[in-house]
Amino acid sequence: MADKIRKFFEKKKVEAKFKMAGPGHKLTDSKPAPKETSKSAAQTSRAALSDEAKQAAAAALARLGGAPPKADAVNLNRSLAAIQAQVKKELEAQKLASERSESMERKPADVSLPETRREDEDEIPQVLAVQGVYFKCPLIGPEILSKDEWRVKIKEFLYEQLEAERGLTSCLIIHSCNRSKEKVGQCIETICKYLENIISNPSEEKYRKIRMSNKIYVEKVKHIEGALEFLLAAGFQRETLPFQDTQDEFLVLPEEKIDVENFNMLMDALRSAESIGLELDRNLKVLLPSEGVQRVNLPPDFFTLSPEELKKEHQSRSEKLEESLMLKTKAMREREEQRELKKYKYSLIRIKFPDGIFIQGTFGVYEQLVTVYDFIKENLASEDGTFVLHSPTGQKLSEAEFEKTLIDLHFVPTIILLFNWLEEPTTKTDSILRPETMLLMHSI
């Protein structure tokens, strides 16, 4: 079944490439205008750089002064006036946040802030270290989108395939377009029970009729995306039939459409299929020395808690203060620390290089440390050097820690790691980072 699903997507990707290529042209026709490349496809391309792009990367490096001495790197884009303005801005924001917090503590929990207060809050500038969390889906296309945008795109893609491949596509819709895994599981077992009853009792008419207002159907099947399409793929037909002195809608399977082999294949596909997976995009950014050390503000996507839960957290601060005065064992403190870390789904990792430049990437909190090393290797200009990472406290990260997750290492929600060469590469380059990576400095 896994092979069939893979072939299904390979076929659709080939068809999509032909559609993207546009209509054909004769050799005698005038040359068609070139089609513009989408921004998302351009971002994901890793093709060789043009001469112009290489010059732009060299210009970015030149603005940094090549490989500047440490003293120059510290002074880069850090004029006294800019520092004073930044400090003043942060102090004003901190003062306003402190006043708001005191006001919230004086108010009852169920009293909302007046509208004018909310408008003031909207005016407070909040510079986020990253605008959100983005994903890739190699099975569908090259775009880099948010999870909600991918849900819409995946749903549209699958419904486009229903006409040609209703059985397999409906299985993928059930697994990919419904958020509650528990309800999906109940729906799958109910549908399989329908088909198993028909296989065991092919001549019994009652098993070949499903009343669509039946309690079990309504609670476990009706509201699951793709469930109706699956039953239609199995051979059921929608009919209006008399029921208890009235008319009601049924799904009816004609006896001649009973196909035991097809039913078993569909049930196997339904139970073994999985949702279309998304890959976390690193959202690579290149930061100047002055930007890499700024305070990190994270968007809501990084948190597992809803706004309502975060509000309750704020209201329970006084209780936590009382608890902090209690004597606690080491095990109790570790449990509380892990509970605090589990508020986050993602971690923002910054790596500082010897020339003062930072690169930044987004990782899942349960990804292993080795994925951070792979992320760095993908962006290095040379491949023959060896390097090591240190924590902000100077602790060397050894190979024994490669298999540990970021949450186990307490690299959540964000951390700055320090890059150092163990053996410098034999091939000398103008920058530690690849030219195409240095180009991203323009987007900051």
Side-chain angles (χ1 to χ4, degrees):
M1 184 51 60
D3 290 339
K4 187 171 183 180
I5 292 174
R6 186 169 59 253
K7 290 178 181 178
F8 170 78
F9 279 107
E10 288 175 353
K11 178 183 176 184
K12 297 305 173 186
K13 286 174 74 175
V14 170
E15 292 175 356
K17 287 180 180 178
F18 277 105
K19 289 180 182 178
M20 290 174 64
H25 295 273
K26 294 181 180 179
L27 294 176
T28 55
D29 291 345
S30 58
K31 186 177 181 182
K35 189 176 181 180
E36 293 184 0
T37 305
S38 67
K39 181 179 179 183
S40 58
Q43 289 176 340
T44 56
S45 175
R46 301 287 291 187
L49 294 179
S50 64
D51 292 338
E52 292 80 1
K54 289 179 181 178
Q55 291 174 4
L61 184 62
R63 288 196 299 275
L64 296 174
K70 293 184 178 178
D72 292 340
V74 174
N75 292 326
L76 189 62
N77 289 347
R78 298 282 290 183
S79 66
L80 181 60
I83 295 173
Q84 290 174 340
Q86 181 66 24
V87 170
K88 182 180 178 181
K89 181 179 176 182
E90 292 184 359
L91 287 175
E92 289 175 350
Q94 186 177 1
K95 181 180 177 181
L96 187 56
S98 178
E99 291 174 355
R100 191 187 316 115
S101 178
E102 291 174 1
S103 176
M104 284 288 291
E105 290 175 356
R106 288 195 296 269
K107 291 178 179 291
D110 58 344
V111 177
S112 59
L113 293 175
E115 291 297 323
T116 56
R117 190 67 172 175
R118 292 199 189 97
E119 291 173 3
D120 291 341
E121 289 178 2
D122 292 339
E123 293 174 0
I124 300 173
Q126 292 188 358
V127 180
L128 298 177
V130 61
Q131 295 304 311
V133 179
Y134 300 95
F135 297 85
K136 299 177 286 188
C137 185
L139 290 175
I140 304 297
E143 294 87 352
I144 297 174
L145 306 170
S146 68
K147 186 172 285 187
D148 288 338
E149 289 172 327
W150 268 120
R151 286 194 181 106
V152 174
K153 190 173 183 65
I154 289 172
K155 183 176 178 178
E156 291 175 351
F157 171 82
L158 290 175
Y159 273 96
E160 288 173 358
Q161 318 308 320
L162 268 177
E163 192 67 29
E165 190 88 32
R166 184 174 292 272
L168 179 57
T169 304
S170 61
C171 293
L172 293 172
I173 291 174
I174 291 173
H175 284 275
S176 303
C177 301
N178 297 283
R179 299 201 179 190
S180 174
K181 299 302 179 185
E182 181 181 357
K183 291 182 178 179
V184 167
Q186 293 174 353
C187 172
I188 290 173
E189 291 308 311
T190 302
I191 289 177
C192 289
K193 190 65 177 176
Y194 289 153
L195 298 183
E196 287 169 352
N197 285 338
I198 294 172
I199 293 172
S200 301
N201 307 276
S203 59
E204 289 283 346
E205 185 181 0
K206 65 178 181 178
Y207 292 120
R208 294 186 281 107
K209 293 171 60 176
I210 303 172
R211 184 163 55 90
M212 299 182 71
S213 60
N214 175 269
K215 182 180 178 181
I216 293 177
Y217 180 85
V218 170
E219 291 181 353
K220 297 186 177 181
V221 180
K222 181 178 180 180
H223 302 292
I224 298 298
E225 195 88 35
L228 177 59
E229 286 74 14
F230 181 89
L231 291 170
L232 294 177
F236 283 87
Q237 301 171 357
R238 299 181 71 161
E239 295 183 17
T240 302
L241 301 174
F243 178 76
Q244 295 182 352
D245 301 328
T246 184
Q247 298 288 315
D248 209 343
E249 195 167 13
F250 286 78
L251 287 170
V252 180
L253 181 72
E255 189 172 358
E256 64 272 13
K257 287 197 173 183
I258 296 176
D259 186 341
V260 175
E261 184 178 353
N262 184 48
F263 287 177
N264 286 324
M265 186 273 294
L266 287 173
M267 287 190 290
D268 179 55
L270 186 58
R271 284 174 168 150
S272 62
E274 297 179 355
S275 61
I276 296 176
L278 298 178
E279 294 180 8
L280 179 63
D281 180 66
R282 297 302 178 205
N283 197 8
L284 171 65
K285 293 186 181 298
V286 182
L287 308 176
L288 293 169
S290 59
E291 296 168 311
V293 295
Q294 288 180 355
R295 183 178 300 174
V296 176
N297 295 314
L298 299 174
D301 291 344
F302 272 68
F303 300 88
T304 57
L305 297 181
S306 64
E308 293 76 15
E309 291 171 323
L310 289 172
K311 186 176 181 180
K312 291 179 182 178
E313 285 284 323
H314 177 76
Q315 294 172 351
S316 65
R317 281 181 182 176
S318 58
E319 297 177 6
K320 289 184 177 180
L321 180 61
E322 294 177 3
E323 291 178 1
S324 65
L325 300 176
M326 296 169 54
L327 294 175
K328 300 178 182 178
T329 65
K330 181 180 178 181
M332 292 172 63
R333 290 194 299 271
E334 289 177 350
R335 281 197 299 271
E336 288 183 1
E337 188 176 7
Q338 284 295 321
R339 189 161 55 247
E340 187 71 18
L341 292 176
K342 287 181 180 178
K343 291 180 182 178
Y344 300 94
K345 293 190 289 185
Y346 305 102
S347 179
L348 193 70
I349 306 293
R350 285 179 177 173
I351 297 95
K352 182 180 180 181
F353 292 89
D355 58 3
I357 298 296
F358 293 77
I359 62 171
Q360 173 181 289
T362 302
F363 297 80
V365 297
Y366 294 106
E367 289 192 74
Q368 296 176 335
L369 179 63
V370 68
T371 60
V372 178
Y373 277 80
D374 293 338
F375 170 69
I376 296 171
K377 289 177 182 176
E378 290 172 1
N379 291 285
L380 293 178
S382 300
E383 299 179 357
D384 56 346
T386 57
F387 64 91
V388 67
L389 295 179
H390 289 83
S391 69
T393 59
Q395 178 186 356
K396 178 181 175 181
L397 300 176
S398 64
E399 292 186 8
E401 293 167 304
F402 280 13
E403 304 302 316
K404 291 184 179 180
T405 63
L406 299 179
I407 198 169
D408 289 337
L409 294 168
H410 293 191
F411 291 174
V412 175
T414 183
I415 194 170
I416 296 176
L417 300 176
L418 308 177
F419 176 102
N420 284 298
W421 287 115
L422 281 178
E423 294 182 10
E424 292 196 13
T426 55
T427 305
K428 298 299 181 182
T429 57
D430 293 333
S431 171
I432 296 176
L433 299 174
R434 296 165 58 118
E436 53 265 51
T437 301
M438 291 297 294
L439 280 175
L440 296 177
M441 193 177 299
H442 293 285
S443 64
I444 299 169

